[in-house]
Amino acid sequence: MVKAIRYDKTGGPEVMKWVDVEVGEPGNGEIRLKQHAVGLNYIDVYFRTGLYSQPLPGGLGMEGAGEVTAVGAGVTGLQVGDRVAYVARPPGAYAQERLLQAVQAVKLPAALSYEDAASVMLQGLTAQYLLRRTYRVKAGDTILIQAAAGGVGLLVCQWAKALGATVIGTVGSDDKAAIAKAHGCDHAIVYTRENFTRRVREITNGAGVPVVYDSIGKDTFTASLDCLAPLGMFVSFGNASGPLPPIDSSEFAGRGSLFFTRPTLFTYIAKRSDYEAMAAELFDVLVSGKVKTSVNQRYALADVAKAHTELEARRTTGSTVLLP
């Protein structure tokens, strides 16, 4: 028996329980994985609270990294002893060991640690599709990233800067502004005391930006739209402050024929070839040093309730890993 986090009802951090589970041997197309690190993400909170639904009782966690300990029939390209990382659904990463479909795992370069990999699969691949596919950022662009000192935010700041963009980010405090600037954010706006729409317009000489990446949700929706240039794109990739209100299409027409998208990572990695290509590009920028991970918090997996509490209170920066 091994330990894992399970919950049988939605609610606060206290619904997560540290229990014994039976893993078993891998079936056809599966691997068994001994996990060395697990990533913590806000989507875990969405599942725990019921904003996103899944059958209960269930597990939590979308990403992790570890060592392959057994391989099922039909698996090619992976063998016992391989170092791998993954982002996968249904949730279940909060575990010491687990079974996983082999197609959901990618091999890790030797230069990447388990902690770095576990912290970056969901957030790093999200940054990849945001910057390289949803809106392909190019040299000379000026972009706005909300929550610039968060896990995705710090990756976007660095990667966009490496692409030659000017990066505007919003943050909640001076400390977080300093962190964002240290990671490539050219203009860190402390939204608790500054009107970020006005500042974006000042920075862009009234033009606005071609893209806003917004993971905050209802609290920033309208103000984010007001930062966009005509034909700009509003990218909603999270709801940290709550779901968006019902959307009136005239909001986009009246501001200059804006585009709206609500992308999800699993659409972008649905094809194995896309998943491998995106992961390869992510690993390349990490190994090259153009983008650095920021594992700023570590918790024992058994203490995940405390980790969720800190995350929801916005007392974390960068990435958090859970150690089985």
Side-chain angles (χ1 to χ4, degrees):
M1 301 286 281
V2 299
K3 293 284 191 178
I5 293 291
R6 294 288 186 267
Y7 71 120
D8 55 17
K9 62 181 180 180
T10 57
E14 71 281 356
V15 303
M16 297 181 289
K17 306 300 181 185
W18 184 235
V19 299
D20 291 323
V21 296
E22 185 67 50
V23 177
E25 294 303 312
N28 188 58
E30 291 183 328
I31 58 173
R32 180 164 173 157
L33 188 64
K34 180 180 181 180
Q35 303 205 116
H36 290 268
V38 173
L40 174 70
N41 296 282
Y42 222 95
I43 193 172
D44 305 345
V45 174
Y46 297 160
F47 277 108
R48 192 206 75 221
T49 60
L51 180 62
Y52 292 174
S53 62
Q54 69 166 335
L56 296 178
L60 288 169
M62 309 293 284
E63 65 180 348
E67 180 184 348
V68 177
T69 59
V71 174
V75 173
T76 59
L78 290 176
Q79 60 186 5
V80 172
D82 280 346
R83 301 171 71 252
V84 299
Y86 68 89
V87 56
R89 59 184 182 186
Y94 288 9
Q96 292 175 327
E97 298 186 31
R98 68 172 304 188
L99 298 179
L100 190 71
Q101 291 291 320
V103 295
Q104 295 176 313
V106 291
K107 286 186 180 180
L108 279 183
L112 280 184
S113 71
Y114 287 124
E115 286 191 12
D116 284 343
S119 76
V120 84
M121 289 300 292
L122 192 152
Q123 295 176 345
L125 290 174
T126 296
Q128 194 279 342
Y129 81 69
L130 291 175
L131 295 171
R132 309 300 290 148
R133 298 184 67 187
T134 303
Y135 175 89
R136 194 170 179 87
V137 172
K138 60 187 182 299
D141 281 342
T142 299
I143 69 168
L144 173 61
I145 175 72
Q146 301 282 11
V152 174
L154 293 181
L155 295 170
V156 166
C157 286
Q158 295 175 82
W159 203 330
K161 192 67 177 174
L163 292 169
T166 297
V167 183
I168 306 172
T170 65
V171 295
S173 68
D174 289 322
D175 288 345
K176 289 188 175 184
I179 292 168
K181 288 179 179 179
H183 288 78
C185 184
D186 297 284
H187 305 277
I189 302 170
V190 182
Y191 66 83
T192 52
R193 66 165 183 265
E194 297 181 89
N195 181 308
F196 71 79
T197 301
R198 185 179 302 122
R199 285 287 295 124
V200 167
R201 290 290 174 179
E202 290 172 355
I203 292 164
T204 60
N205 296 316
V209 294
V211 63
V212 175
Y213 299 113
D214 192 321
S215 62
I216 302 301
K218 68 179 181 65
D219 287 356
T220 52
F221 173 58
T222 301
S224 285
L225 294 184
D226 288 336
C227 293
L228 286 165
L231 304 180
M233 179 178 288
F234 175 77
V235 183
S236 172
F237 70 102
N239 308 291
S241 68
L244 296 181
I247 293 173
D248 180 351
S249 62
S250 65
E251 295 274 3
F252 305 99
R255 288 176 171 83
S257 302
L258 304 180
F259 293 87
F260 172 91
T261 185
R262 179 57 174 94
T264 65
L265 173 60
F266 289 101
T267 305
Y268 281 90
I269 64 171
K271 294 180 180 179
R272 176 68 186 184
S273 58
D274 289 337
Y275 184 23
E276 290 178 337
M278 291 168 63
E281 185 172 9
L282 171 63
F283 295 159
D284 282 347
V285 296
L286 292 171
V287 171
S288 71
K290 292 178 181 177
V291 176
K292 294 180 172 63
T293 58
S294 298
V295 180
N296 293 342
Q297 296 82 213
R298 294 170 177 83
Y299 299 88
L301 181 54
D303 296 332
V304 68
K306 181 178 180 181
H308 274 229
T309 299
E310 295 294 296
L311 180 67
E312 289 182 273
R314 300 188 187 183
R315 290 194 288 264
T316 66
T317 60
S319 298
T320 300
V321 295
L322 308 170
L323 303 176

